Amino acid sequence: DGGITQSPKYLFRKEGQNVTLSCEQNLNHDAMYWYRQDPGQGLRLIYYSQIVNDFQKGDIAEGYSVSREKKESFPLTVTSAQKNPTAFYLCASSTRQGTTEAFFGQGTRLTVV
Amino acid sequence: ILNVEQSPQSLHVQEGDSTNFTCSFPSSNFYALHWYRWETAKSPEALFVMTLNGDEKKKGRISATLNTKEGYSYLYIKGSQPEDSATYLCAFIRGGSNYKLTFGKGTLLTVNP
């Protein structure tokens, strides 16, 4: 079945540690996105990529890094520089042109203690 | 940061009521407008992708209209059912933004039986 998979569903980390969230899709989509959700904030864009080996900062990229070495994969690293990393993270993919729907993963809830 | 505004923030209706909510976006350099439904414990799912001024789209009891010149889209639900309870998100793509998909904060709809 085609889809987009995020793992893990829940993640706990100690403050000061980097952590990488996985996002994989087998929909042959060129575009991939990372969003963060906090209560009352809606979905805020962290990074997005339209093609392999290229990505752009979203609205809240500080403290995060990404890579896009393969079309299927767009991992997000939450670094120790991110001041408030505890949040719900959603990954999405779509065709590059943006005129078709985006598909979302199930999300990863990251808790930093 | 693009301003994509949704109103109201939340809405409670009775089963059988019809309802509508608004998504406002910048009227210049429009490219596409997406609507998604996000049910609790699930991933957001696409309802509509709209690209032309005056577009009207319908899926069952849900329909949407688009006015790109004044920068708004309406989502209508006819005869609301409890299973329509969800957060409804709109997302805007501005021309020349490399297909950056920017979401509003959503409208939380609760349909009481």
Side-chain angles (χ1 to χ4, degrees), chain B residues 33-96:
Chain B
L33 192 282
H34 296 211
W35 279 101
Y36 292 85
R37 175 168 59 201
W38 193 0
E39 296 178 67
T40 304
K42 294 186 177 180
S43 304
E45 289 185 344
L47 290 170
F48 306 111
V49 176
M50 308 175 84
T51 57
L52 296 174
N53 184 42
D55 249 356
E56 289 189 28
K57 297 216 170 180
K58 189 174 179 182
K59 187 184 283 190
R61 294 178 292 98
I62 303 178
S63 60
T65 60
L66 178 68
N67 183 325
T68 63
K69 297 197 183 309
E70 295 183 43
Y72 65 84
S73 175
Y74 293 139
L75 190 79
Y76 300 91
I77 302 179
K78 186 177 175 183
S80 302
Q81 300 296 310
E83 57 265 31
D84 296 329
S85 297
T87 296
Y88 290 82
L89 297 166
C90 71
F92 171 72
I93 300 178
R94 187 185 64 190

Short mmCIF file of all heavy atoms in Angstrom, two decimals, chain B residues 33-96:
data_model
loop_
_atom_site.label_atom_id
_atom_site.label_comp_id
_atom_site.label_asym_id
_atom_site.label_seq_id
_atom_site.Cartn_x
_atom_site.Cartn_y
_atom_site.Cartn_z
N LEU B 33 -5.23 26.77 -3.19
CA LEU B 33 -5.81 26.75 -1.84
C LEU B 33 -6.29 25.33 -1.57
O LEU B 33 -6.98 24.74 -2.38
CB LEU B 33 -6.98 27.74 -1.78
CG LEU B 33 -7.62 28.18 -0.46
CD1 LEU B 33 -8.56 27.13 0.11
CD2 LEU B 33 -6.60 28.58 0.57
N HIS B 34 -5.86 24.79 -0.43
CA HIS B 34 -6.24 23.43 -0.05
C HIS B 34 -7.13 23.47 1.19
O HIS B 34 -6.94 24.31 2.07
CB HIS B 34 -5.00 22.60 0.35
CG HIS B 34 -4.01 22.36 -0.73
ND1 HIS B 34 -3.23 21.21 -0.77
CD2 HIS B 34 -3.62 23.08 -1.82
CE1 HIS B 34 -2.43 21.24 -1.80
NE2 HIS B 34 -2.64 22.36 -2.46
N TRP B 35 -8.07 22.52 1.27
CA TRP B 35 -8.84 22.29 2.49
C TRP B 35 -8.60 20.86 2.97
O TRP B 35 -8.60 19.92 2.17
CB TRP B 35 -10.33 22.46 2.25
CG TRP B 35 -10.83 23.88 2.23
CD1 TRP B 35 -11.12 24.64 1.13
CD2 TRP B 35 -11.12 24.70 3.36
NE1 TRP B 35 -11.56 25.88 1.52
CE2 TRP B 35 -11.57 25.94 2.89
CE3 TRP B 35 -11.05 24.51 4.76
CZ2 TRP B 35 -11.95 26.99 3.73
CZ3 TRP B 35 -11.42 25.54 5.59
CH2 TRP B 35 -11.88 26.76 5.08
N TYR B 36 -8.40 20.72 4.30
CA TYR B 36 -8.18 19.40 4.90
C TYR B 36 -9.10 19.24 6.11
O TYR B 36 -9.45 20.20 6.78
CB TYR B 36 -6.72 19.26 5.38
CG TYR B 36 -5.73 19.22 4.24
CD1 TYR B 36 -5.24 20.40 3.69
CD2 TYR B 36 -5.30 18.01 3.70
CE1 TYR B 36 -4.35 20.37 2.63
CE2 TYR B 36 -4.42 17.97 2.64
CZ TYR B 36 -3.95 19.17 2.11
OH TYR B 36 -3.07 19.14 1.05
N ARG B 37 -9.44 18.00 6.39
CA ARG B 37 -10.17 17.65 7.61
C ARG B 37 -9.24 16.83 8.48
O ARG B 37 -8.62 15.86 8.00
CB ARG B 37 -11.43 16.84 7.29
CG ARG B 37 -12.16 16.35 8.54
CD ARG B 37 -13.52 15.81 8.23
NE ARG B 37 -13.47 14.71 7.31
CZ ARG B 37 -14.50 14.31 6.58
NH1 ARG B 37 -15.66 14.93 6.65
NH2 ARG B 37 -14.40 13.28 5.76
N TRP B 38 -9.17 17.17 9.77
CA TRP B 38 -8.28 16.49 10.70
C TRP B 38 -9.10 16.01 11.88
O TRP B 38 -9.45 16.79 12.77
CB TRP B 38 -7.16 17.44 11.15
CG TRP B 38 -6.04 16.75 11.85
CD1 TRP B 38 -5.89 15.41 12.11
CD2 TRP B 38 -4.88 17.38 12.37
NE1 TRP B 38 -4.71 15.17 12.74
CE2 TRP B 38 -4.06 16.36 12.92
CE3 TRP B 38 -4.43 18.69 12.44
CZ2 TRP B 38 -2.82 16.63 13.51
CZ3 TRP B 38 -3.21 18.95 13.02
CH2 TRP B 38 -2.42 17.94 13.56
N GLU B 39 -9.35 14.70 11.88
CA GLU B 39 -10.07 14.10 13.00
C GLU B 39 -9.09 13.69 14.08
O GLU B 39 -7.93 13.35 13.78
CB GLU B 39 -10.84 12.86 12.52
CG GLU B 39 -11.92 13.18 11.51
CD GLU B 39 -12.60 11.91 11.02
OE1 GLU B 39 -13.29 11.26 11.84
OE2 GLU B 39 -12.45 11.56 9.84
N THR B 40 -9.57 13.68 15.30
CA THR B 40 -8.74 13.33 16.44
C THR B 40 -8.14 11.95 16.24
O THR B 40 -8.82 11.02 15.80
CB THR B 40 -9.59 13.34 17.72
OG1 THR B 40 -10.19 14.63 17.85
CG2 THR B 40 -8.73 13.06 18.94
N ALA B 41 -6.85 11.83 16.54
CA ALA B 41 -6.10 10.56 16.48
C ALA B 41 -5.90 10.06 15.05
O ALA B 41 -5.50 8.90 14.85
CB ALA B 41 -6.77 9.47 17.31
N LYS B 42 -6.18 10.89 14.07
CA LYS B 42 -5.93 10.51 12.68
C LYS B 42 -5.03 11.55 12.02
O LYS B 42 -4.72 12.58 12.61
CB LYS B 42 -7.24 10.41 11.91
CG LYS B 42 -8.14 9.29 12.37
CD LYS B 42 -9.35 9.18 11.46
CE LYS B 42 -10.22 8.00 11.88
NZ LYS B 42 -11.42 7.89 11.00
N SER B 43 -4.63 11.27 10.77
CA SER B 43 -3.86 12.24 10.01
C SER B 43 -4.81 13.16 9.26
O SER B 43 -5.92 12.76 8.92
CB SER B 43 -2.98 11.53 8.99
OG SER B 43 -2.15 10.59 9.62
N PRO B 44 -4.38 14.40 8.96
CA PRO B 44 -5.22 15.26 8.10
C PRO B 44 -5.47 14.60 6.75
O PRO B 44 -4.58 13.96 6.19
CB PRO B 44 -4.38 16.53 7.94
CG PRO B 44 -3.44 16.52 9.11
CD PRO B 44 -3.16 15.08 9.40
N GLU B 45 -6.70 14.77 6.26
CA GLU B 45 -7.05 14.22 4.95
C GLU B 45 -7.59 15.34 4.07
O GLU B 45 -8.35 16.18 4.53
CB GLU B 45 -8.12 13.14 5.09
CG GLU B 45 -7.62 11.87 5.72
CD GLU B 45 -8.66 10.78 5.74
OE1 GLU B 45 -9.86 11.09 5.55
OE2 GLU B 45 -8.29 9.62 5.97
N ALA B 46 -7.21 15.29 2.80
CA ALA B 46 -7.60 16.36 1.88
C ALA B 46 -9.09 16.31 1.57
O ALA B 46 -9.68 15.23 1.41
CB ALA B 46 -6.80 16.26 0.59
N LEU B 47 -9.68 17.50 1.51
CA LEU B 47 -11.06 17.64 1.03
C LEU B 47 -11.05 18.19 -0.39
O LEU B 47 -11.63 17.60 -1.29
CB LEU B 47 -11.84 18.58 1.95
CG LEU B 47 -12.16 18.07 3.35
CD1 LEU B 47 -12.71 19.19 4.22
CD2 LEU B 47 -13.15 16.92 3.28
N PHE B 48 -10.40 19.33 -0.56
CA PHE B 48 -10.40 19.98 -1.86
C PHE B 48 -9.06 20.66 -2.12
O PHE B 48 -8.41 21.13 -1.19
CB PHE B 48 -11.49 21.08 -1.93
CG PHE B 48 -12.86 20.61 -1.56
CD1 PHE B 48 -13.47 21.05 -0.40
CD2 PHE B 48 -13.57 19.74 -2.39
CE1 PHE B 48 -14.74 20.64 -0.06
CE2 PHE B 48 -14.84 19.30 -2.04
CZ PHE B 48 -15.42 19.76 -0.88
N VAL B 49 -8.70 20.73 -3.40
CA VAL B 49 -7.62 21.59 -3.85
C VAL B 49 -8.22 22.50 -4.91
O VAL B 49 -8.84 22.02 -5.87
CB VAL B 49 -6.44 20.79 -4.45
CG1 VAL B 49 -5.38 21.73 -4.99
CG2 VAL B 49 -5.85 19.86 -3.40
N MET B 50 -8.07 23.81 -4.72
CA MET B 50 -8.74 24.76 -5.60
C MET B 50 -7.70 25.70 -6.18
O MET B 50 -6.80 26.18 -5.46
CB MET B 50 -9.79 25.55 -4.80
CG MET B 50 -10.74 24.62 -4.04
SD MET B 50 -11.88 25.46 -2.97
CE MET B 50 -13.16 25.85 -4.16
N THR B 51 -7.83 25.97 -7.48
CA THR B 51 -6.80 26.76 -8.13
C THR B 51 -7.35 27.94 -8.93
O THR B 51 -6.59 28.84 -9.29
CB THR B 51 -5.96 25.89 -9.08
OG1 THR B 51 -6.84 25.27 -10.02
CG2 THR B 51 -5.20 24.82 -8.31
N LEU B 52 -8.65 27.93 -9.24
CA LEU B 52 -9.20 28.97 -10.11
C LEU B 52 -10.19 29.86 -9.37
O LEU B 52 -11.04 29.36 -8.61
CB LEU B 52 -9.90 28.34 -11.30
CG LEU B 52 -9.02 27.53 -12.25
CD1 LEU B 52 -9.85 26.85 -13.31
CD2 LEU B 52 -7.95 28.42 -12.90
N ASN B 53 -10.13 31.15 -9.62
CA ASN B 53 -11.09 32.07 -9.04
C ASN B 53 -12.50 31.66 -9.45
O ASN B 53 -12.76 31.36 -10.62
CB ASN B 53 -10.82 33.49 -9.52
CG ASN B 53 -11.73 34.50 -8.85
OD1 ASN B 53 -11.98 34.40 -7.64
ND2 ASN B 53 -12.25 35.43 -9.62
N GLY B 54 -13.40 31.60 -8.47
CA GLY B 54 -14.77 31.20 -8.77
C GLY B 54 -15.00 29.71 -8.67
O GLY B 54 -16.13 29.24 -8.81
N ASP B 55 -13.93 28.94 -8.44
CA ASP B 55 -14.06 27.49 -8.27
C ASP B 55 -15.10 27.17 -7.21
O ASP B 55 -15.16 27.82 -6.17
CB ASP B 55 -12.71 26.91 -7.79
CG ASP B 55 -12.03 26.07 -8.84
OD1 ASP B 55 -12.61 25.85 -9.91
OD2 ASP B 55 -10.91 25.61 -8.56
N GLU B 56 -15.92 26.15 -7.50
CA GLU B 56 -16.79 25.58 -6.48
C GLU B 56 -16.60 24.08 -6.55
O GLU B 56 -16.67 23.49 -7.62
CB GLU B 56 -18.25 25.93 -6.75
CG GLU B 56 -18.59 27.37 -6.52
CD GLU B 56 -20.10 27.65 -6.59
OE1 GLU B 56 -20.90 26.75 -6.30
OE2 GLU B 56 -20.45 28.78 -6.95
N LYS B 57 -16.33 23.46 -5.39
CA LYS B 57 -16.12 22.01 -5.37
C LYS B 57 -17.05 21.41 -4.33
O LYS B 57 -17.40 22.04 -3.35
CB LYS B 57 -14.66 21.68 -5.05
CG LYS B 57 -13.71 22.21 -6.11
CD LYS B 57 -12.55 21.29 -6.34
CE LYS B 57 -11.77 21.76 -7.57
NZ LYS B 57 -10.63 20.92 -7.87
N LYS B 58 -17.43 20.16 -4.58
CA LYS B 58 -18.39 19.50 -3.69
C LYS B 58 -17.99 18.04 -3.50
O LYS B 58 -17.58 17.36 -4.45
CB LYS B 58 -19.79 19.59 -4.29
CG LYS B 58 -20.89 19.12 -3.36
CD LYS B 58 -22.26 19.38 -3.96
CE LYS B 58 -23.33 18.87 -3.00
NZ LYS B 58 -24.67 19.04 -3.52
N LYS B 59 -18.14 17.59 -2.24
CA LYS B 59 -17.91 16.18 -1.93
C LYS B 59 -18.97 15.79 -0.91
O LYS B 59 -18.87 16.11 0.26
CB LYS B 59 -16.50 16.01 -1.35
CG LYS B 59 -16.08 14.57 -1.12
CD LYS B 59 -14.69 14.49 -0.45
CE LYS B 59 -13.59 14.75 -1.41
NZ LYS B 59 -12.24 14.44 -0.84
N GLY B 60 -20.02 15.12 -1.40
CA GLY B 60 -21.12 14.76 -0.50
C GLY B 60 -21.80 16.00 0.05
O GLY B 60 -22.26 16.86 -0.71
N ARG B 61 -21.82 16.13 1.39
CA ARG B 61 -22.49 17.28 2.03
C ARG B 61 -21.55 18.47 2.22
O ARG B 61 -21.97 19.50 2.75
CB ARG B 61 -23.04 16.83 3.39
CG ARG B 61 -24.15 15.79 3.30
CD ARG B 61 -24.63 15.35 4.69
NE ARG B 61 -23.62 14.58 5.40
CZ ARG B 61 -22.80 15.08 6.32
NH1 ARG B 61 -22.88 16.35 6.67
NH2 ARG B 61 -21.92 14.30 6.93
N ILE B 62 -20.32 18.34 1.80
CA ILE B 62 -19.33 19.40 2.00
C ILE B 62 -19.03 20.05 0.66
O ILE B 62 -18.84 19.36 -0.34
CB ILE B 62 -18.04 18.83 2.60
CG1 ILE B 62 -18.34 18.10 3.92
CG2 ILE B 62 -17.04 19.95 2.85
CD1 ILE B 62 -17.12 17.46 4.55
N SER B 63 -18.99 21.37 0.67
CA SER B 63 -18.64 22.10 -0.54
C SER B 63 -17.76 23.29 -0.18
O SER B 63 -17.68 23.68 1.00
CB SER B 63 -19.90 22.56 -1.28
OG SER B 63 -20.67 23.43 -0.45
N ALA B 64 -17.07 23.82 -1.17
CA ALA B 64 -16.18 24.95 -0.94
C ALA B 64 -16.23 25.88 -2.14
O ALA B 64 -16.45 25.45 -3.28
CB ALA B 64 -14.75 24.47 -0.71
N THR B 65 -16.03 27.17 -1.85
CA THR B 65 -15.95 28.17 -2.90
C THR B 65 -14.65 28.94 -2.74
O THR B 65 -14.04 28.95 -1.67
CB THR B 65 -17.14 29.15 -2.83
OG1 THR B 65 -17.10 29.81 -1.56
CG2 THR B 65 -18.46 28.43 -2.97
N LEU B 66 -14.25 29.59 -3.82
CA LEU B 66 -12.96 30.29 -3.83
C LEU B 66 -13.10 31.64 -4.51
O LEU B 66 -13.63 31.72 -5.62
CB LEU B 66 -11.91 29.45 -4.56
CG LEU B 66 -10.53 30.06 -4.69
CD1 LEU B 66 -9.85 30.16 -3.33
CD2 LEU B 66 -9.67 29.23 -5.65
N ASN B 67 -12.62 32.69 -3.82
CA ASN B 67 -12.55 34.02 -4.40
C ASN B 67 -11.10 34.49 -4.25
O ASN B 67 -10.69 34.93 -3.18
CB ASN B 67 -13.51 34.96 -3.68
CG ASN B 67 -13.54 36.35 -4.29
OD1 ASN B 67 -12.52 36.85 -4.78
ND2 ASN B 67 -14.70 36.98 -4.28
N THR B 68 -10.33 34.37 -5.33
CA THR B 68 -8.91 34.72 -5.25
C THR B 68 -8.71 36.23 -5.30
O THR B 68 -7.71 36.73 -4.80
CB THR B 68 -8.12 34.06 -6.39
OG1 THR B 68 -8.60 34.57 -7.64
CG2 THR B 68 -8.26 32.56 -6.36
N LYS B 69 -9.65 36.95 -5.89
CA LYS B 69 -9.47 38.40 -6.04
C LYS B 69 -9.60 39.11 -4.69
O LYS B 69 -8.90 40.10 -4.44
CB LYS B 69 -10.47 38.95 -7.04
CG LYS B 69 -10.26 38.39 -8.44
CD LYS B 69 -10.96 39.19 -9.51
CE LYS B 69 -10.79 38.57 -10.88
NZ LYS B 69 -9.41 38.25 -11.23
N GLU B 70 -10.48 38.60 -3.85
CA GLU B 70 -10.64 39.21 -2.52
C GLU B 70 -9.95 38.38 -1.43
O GLU B 70 -9.92 38.80 -0.28
CB GLU B 70 -12.12 39.39 -2.22
CG GLU B 70 -12.77 40.39 -3.16
CD GLU B 70 -14.23 40.64 -2.83
OE1 GLU B 70 -14.56 40.77 -1.64
OE2 GLU B 70 -15.05 40.69 -3.77
N GLY B 71 -9.43 37.23 -1.77
CA GLY B 71 -8.62 36.45 -0.84
C GLY B 71 -9.40 35.71 0.22
O GLY B 71 -9.07 35.80 1.41
N TYR B 72 -10.44 34.95 -0.20
CA TYR B 72 -11.12 34.12 0.79
C TYR B 72 -11.71 32.88 0.13
O TYR B 72 -11.96 32.82 -1.07
CB TYR B 72 -12.20 34.90 1.55
CG TYR B 72 -13.36 35.37 0.70
CD1 TYR B 72 -14.43 34.53 0.42
CD2 TYR B 72 -13.38 36.67 0.20
CE1 TYR B 72 -15.49 34.96 -0.37
CE2 TYR B 72 -14.44 37.10 -0.58
CZ TYR B 72 -15.49 36.26 -0.86
OH TYR B 72 -16.53 36.69 -1.63
N SER B 73 -11.91 31.88 0.98
CA SER B 73 -12.58 30.65 0.60
C SER B 73 -13.55 30.27 1.71
O SER B 73 -13.23 30.46 2.89
CB SER B 73 -11.56 29.53 0.38
OG SER B 73 -12.21 28.30 0.11
N TYR B 74 -14.72 29.78 1.33
CA TYR B 74 -15.70 29.31 2.30
C TYR B 74 -15.82 27.79 2.19
O TYR B 74 -15.81 27.24 1.10
CB TYR B 74 -17.08 29.90 2.03
CG TYR B 74 -17.22 31.38 2.24
CD1 TYR B 74 -17.95 32.16 1.36
CD2 TYR B 74 -16.63 32.01 3.34
CE1 TYR B 74 -18.09 33.52 1.54
CE2 TYR B 74 -16.76 33.37 3.52
CZ TYR B 74 -17.49 34.13 2.62
OH TYR B 74 -17.63 35.48 2.81
N LEU B 75 -15.95 27.16 3.35
CA LEU B 75 -16.27 25.73 3.40
C LEU B 75 -17.65 25.59 4.02
O LEU B 75 -17.92 26.17 5.07
CB LEU B 75 -15.24 24.97 4.25
CG LEU B 75 -15.35 23.46 4.16
CD1 LEU B 75 -14.71 22.96 2.86
CD2 LEU B 75 -14.68 22.78 5.35
N TYR B 76 -18.53 24.86 3.33
CA TYR B 76 -19.91 24.67 3.80
C TYR B 76 -20.14 23.21 4.13
O TYR B 76 -19.69 22.32 3.39
CB TYR B 76 -20.91 25.06 2.70
CG TYR B 76 -20.84 26.47 2.22
CD1 TYR B 76 -20.04 26.80 1.14
CD2 TYR B 76 -21.61 27.46 2.81
CE1 TYR B 76 -19.98 28.11 0.67
CE2 TYR B 76 -21.56 28.77 2.35
CZ TYR B 76 -20.74 29.08 1.28
OH TYR B 76 -20.68 30.38 0.83
N ILE B 77 -20.84 22.95 5.23
CA ILE B 77 -21.28 21.60 5.54
C ILE B 77 -22.79 21.64 5.70
O ILE B 77 -23.31 22.37 6.54
CB ILE B 77 -20.62 21.04 6.81
CG1 ILE B 77 -19.10 21.07 6.67
CG2 ILE B 77 -21.10 19.61 7.07
CD1 ILE B 77 -18.34 20.56 7.88
N LYS B 78 -23.47 20.85 4.87
CA LYS B 78 -24.94 20.83 4.90
C LYS B 78 -25.40 19.67 5.78
O LYS B 78 -24.90 18.55 5.64
CB LYS B 78 -25.44 20.63 3.47
CG LYS B 78 -26.93 20.73 3.30
CD LYS B 78 -27.28 20.61 1.82
CE LYS B 78 -28.79 20.59 1.66
NZ LYS B 78 -29.18 20.40 0.25
N GLY B 79 -26.34 19.93 6.69
CA GLY B 79 -26.86 18.85 7.52
C GLY B 79 -25.78 18.15 8.33
O GLY B 79 -25.56 16.96 8.17
N SER B 80 -25.11 18.90 9.19
CA SER B 80 -23.96 18.36 9.94
C SER B 80 -24.32 17.09 10.70
O SER B 80 -25.41 16.97 11.27
CB SER B 80 -23.45 19.41 10.93
OG SER B 80 -23.10 20.59 10.27
N GLN B 81 -23.38 16.17 10.72
CA GLN B 81 -23.51 14.92 11.45
C GLN B 81 -22.40 14.84 12.50
O GLN B 81 -21.34 15.46 12.32
CB GLN B 81 -23.39 13.74 10.51
CG GLN B 81 -24.46 13.72 9.42
CD GLN B 81 -25.85 13.55 10.01
OE1 GLN B 81 -26.10 12.67 10.82
NE2 GLN B 81 -26.76 14.42 9.60
N PRO B 82 -22.59 14.08 13.58
CA PRO B 82 -21.54 13.97 14.59
C PRO B 82 -20.20 13.54 14.00
O PRO B 82 -19.14 13.99 14.47
CB PRO B 82 -22.09 12.92 15.56
CG PRO B 82 -23.58 13.08 15.46
CD PRO B 82 -23.84 13.41 14.01
N GLU B 83 -20.22 12.72 12.95
CA GLU B 83 -18.94 12.29 12.36
C GLU B 83 -18.23 13.40 11.59
O GLU B 83 -17.08 13.23 11.17
CB GLU B 83 -19.16 11.08 11.43
CG GLU B 83 -20.14 11.30 10.31
CD GLU B 83 -21.55 10.81 10.65
OE1 GLU B 83 -21.93 10.85 11.84
OE2 GLU B 83 -22.26 10.41 9.71
N ASP B 84 -18.89 14.55 11.42
CA ASP B 84 -18.22 15.69 10.81
C ASP B 84 -17.34 16.43 11.82
O ASP B 84 -16.59 17.33 11.44
CB ASP B 84 -19.24 16.69 10.24
CG ASP B 84 -20.06 16.12 9.10
OD1 ASP B 84 -19.52 15.26 8.35
OD2 ASP B 84 -21.23 16.50 8.95
N SER B 85 -17.46 16.08 13.08
CA SER B 85 -16.66 16.74 14.11
C SER B 85 -15.18 16.53 13.83
O SER B 85 -14.71 15.38 13.72
CB SER B 85 -17.00 16.18 15.50
OG SER B 85 -18.35 16.46 15.83
N ALA B 86 -14.46 17.62 13.68
CA ALA B 86 -13.04 17.58 13.31
C ALA B 86 -12.52 19.01 13.28
O ALA B 86 -13.28 19.97 13.43
CB ALA B 86 -12.86 16.93 11.93
N THR B 87 -11.21 19.13 13.07
CA THR B 87 -10.63 20.43 12.78
C THR B 87 -10.49 20.55 11.27
O THR B 87 -9.98 19.65 10.61
CB THR B 87 -9.26 20.57 13.45
OG1 THR B 87 -9.42 20.52 14.87
CG2 THR B 87 -8.61 21.90 13.07
N TYR B 88 -10.96 21.66 10.73
CA TYR B 88 -10.90 21.91 9.29
C TYR B 88 -9.81 22.95 9.04
O TYR B 88 -9.83 24.05 9.58
CB TYR B 88 -12.27 22.38 8.78
CG TYR B 88 -13.27 21.25 8.81
CD1 TYR B 88 -13.94 20.94 10.00
CD2 TYR B 88 -13.50 20.45 7.70
CE1 TYR B 88 -14.82 19.87 10.06
CE2 TYR B 88 -14.39 19.38 7.75
CZ TYR B 88 -15.03 19.09 8.94
OH TYR B 88 -15.90 18.02 9.00
N LEU B 89 -8.85 22.54 8.22
CA LEU B 89 -7.67 23.36 7.95
C LEU B 89 -7.67 23.82 6.51
O LEU B 89 -8.01 23.04 5.62
CB LEU B 89 -6.40 22.53 8.17
CG LEU B 89 -6.12 21.99 9.56
CD1 LEU B 89 -5.04 20.93 9.50
CD2 LEU B 89 -5.70 23.11 10.48
N CYS B 90 -7.28 25.07 6.31
CA CYS B 90 -7.00 25.49 4.94
C CYS B 90 -5.51 25.77 4.82
O CYS B 90 -4.84 26.08 5.81
CB CYS B 90 -7.83 26.69 4.52
SG CYS B 90 -7.38 28.24 5.29
N ALA B 91 -5.01 25.63 3.61
CA ALA B 91 -3.59 25.85 3.35
C ALA B 91 -3.45 26.59 2.02
O ALA B 91 -4.15 26.27 1.06
CB ALA B 91 -2.83 24.53 3.31
N PHE B 92 -2.55 27.54 1.98
CA PHE B 92 -2.40 28.44 0.85
C PHE B 92 -1.02 28.27 0.23
O PHE B 92 -0.02 28.09 0.94
CB PHE B 92 -2.58 29.87 1.37
CG PHE B 92 -2.27 30.96 0.38
CD1 PHE B 92 -3.11 31.20 -0.69
CD2 PHE B 92 -1.14 31.75 0.53
CE1 PHE B 92 -2.83 32.21 -1.60
CE2 PHE B 92 -0.86 32.76 -0.37
CZ PHE B 92 -1.70 32.99 -1.43
N ILE B 93 -0.96 28.31 -1.10
CA ILE B 93 0.31 28.35 -1.81
C ILE B 93 0.35 29.63 -2.62
O ILE B 93 -0.53 29.90 -3.45
CB ILE B 93 0.50 27.14 -2.74
CG1 ILE B 93 0.46 25.83 -1.95
CG2 ILE B 93 1.83 27.24 -3.50
CD1 ILE B 93 0.58 24.58 -2.81
N ARG B 94 1.37 30.43 -2.38
CA ARG B 94 1.54 31.67 -3.14
C ARG B 94 2.40 31.39 -4.37
O ARG B 94 3.34 30.59 -4.32
CB ARG B 94 2.23 32.70 -2.25
CG ARG B 94 2.31 34.10 -2.85
CD ARG B 94 3.11 35.01 -1.96
NE ARG B 94 4.49 34.53 -1.87
CZ ARG B 94 5.40 35.01 -1.02
NH1 ARG B 94 5.07 35.93 -0.18
NH2 ARG B 94 6.61 34.54 -1.00
N GLY B 95 2.09 32.04 -5.46
CA GLY B 95 2.90 31.89 -6.66
C GLY B 95 4.34 32.32 -6.40
O GLY B 95 4.58 33.31 -5.70
N GLY B 96 5.28 31.60 -6.93
CA GLY B 96 6.68 31.95 -6.76
C GLY B 96 7.28 31.58 -5.42
O GLY B 96 8.40 31.97 -5.12
#
